[in-house]
């Protein structure tokens, strides 16, 4: 038997606790935690909780939730909400095991476009760069995740 496909290897490695730092240039920053827990077979529930500090110093407690679904050849990130799964991004990873695994996808939300670039450096760190463009939105964020017990 050979190595598992990259999406299976990556999916298995996400489970657990992570610390996160998010930079939103000109819009603030966030620090917090993210947890990936088994929700059902081949589905991880993702929840992040943190403190968003806005320009000027105002702080807000924030959270976000998704479901990461392992599928053949990909990981589908869906909104954690009742009803049929609604896709946010689909991660299709290259087959190489050398450099960091990377994937990107685009989500259209009305007139807004969410372009995500995911980079999995190793089993203890990954990052997400999100560009959001639309009639009333124009920002970028970069989030760095580090495995909590090794941060």
């Amino acid at each position: 038997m050979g190595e598992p496909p990259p999406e299976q290897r990556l999916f298995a490695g996400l489970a657990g606790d992570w610390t996160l730092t998010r930079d939103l240039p000109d819009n603030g920053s966030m620090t917090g935690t993210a947890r990936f827990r088994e929700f059902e077979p081949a589905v991880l529930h993702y929840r992040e909780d943190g403190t968003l500090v806005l320009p000027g110093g105002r702080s807000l407690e924030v959270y976000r939730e998704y479901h990461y679904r392992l599928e053949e050849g990909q990981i589908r990130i869906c909104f954690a909400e009742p009803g049929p799964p609604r896709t946010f991004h689909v991660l299709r990873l290259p087959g190489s095991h050398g450099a960091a695994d990377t994937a990107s996808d685009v989500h259209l939300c009305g007139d807004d476009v969410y372009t995500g670039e995911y980079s999995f450096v190793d089993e203890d760190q990954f990052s997400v760069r999100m560009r959001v463009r639309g009639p009333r939105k124009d920002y970028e964020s970069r989030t760095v995740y580090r495995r909590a017990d090794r941060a």
Side-chain angles (χ1 to χ4, degrees), residues 13-36:
L14 288 173
D17 298 331
W18 300 79
T19 62
L20 71 89
T21 56
R22 179 170 296 138
D23 183 34
L24 298 115
D26 302 322
N27 293 305
S29 62
M30 180 194 157
T31 57
T33 59
R35 289 165 305 287
F36 289 88

Side-chain angles (χ1 to χ4, degrees), residues 22 24 27 48 64 66 77 79 86-92 103-118 128-143:
R22 179 170 296 138
L24 298 115
N27 293 305
E48 70 179 41
R64 179 181 301 173
Y66 294 104
I77 303 171
F79 297 99
R86 196 167 57 94
T87 302
F88 178 58
H89 282 145
V90 176
L91 308 181
R92 294 175 190 88
S104 62
D105 199 12
V106 174
H107 172 75
L108 303 176
C109 182
D111 292 333
D112 301 322
V113 178
Y114 291 74
T115 303
E117 297 174 5
Y118 299 75
V128 178
R129 182 176 168 214
M130 193 70 59
R131 288 186 308 246
V132 183
R133 303 287 186 264
R136 291 173 298 282
K137 293 182 181 178
D138 185 9
Y139 69 90
E140 268 189 38
S141 70
R142 183 168 190 273
T143 306

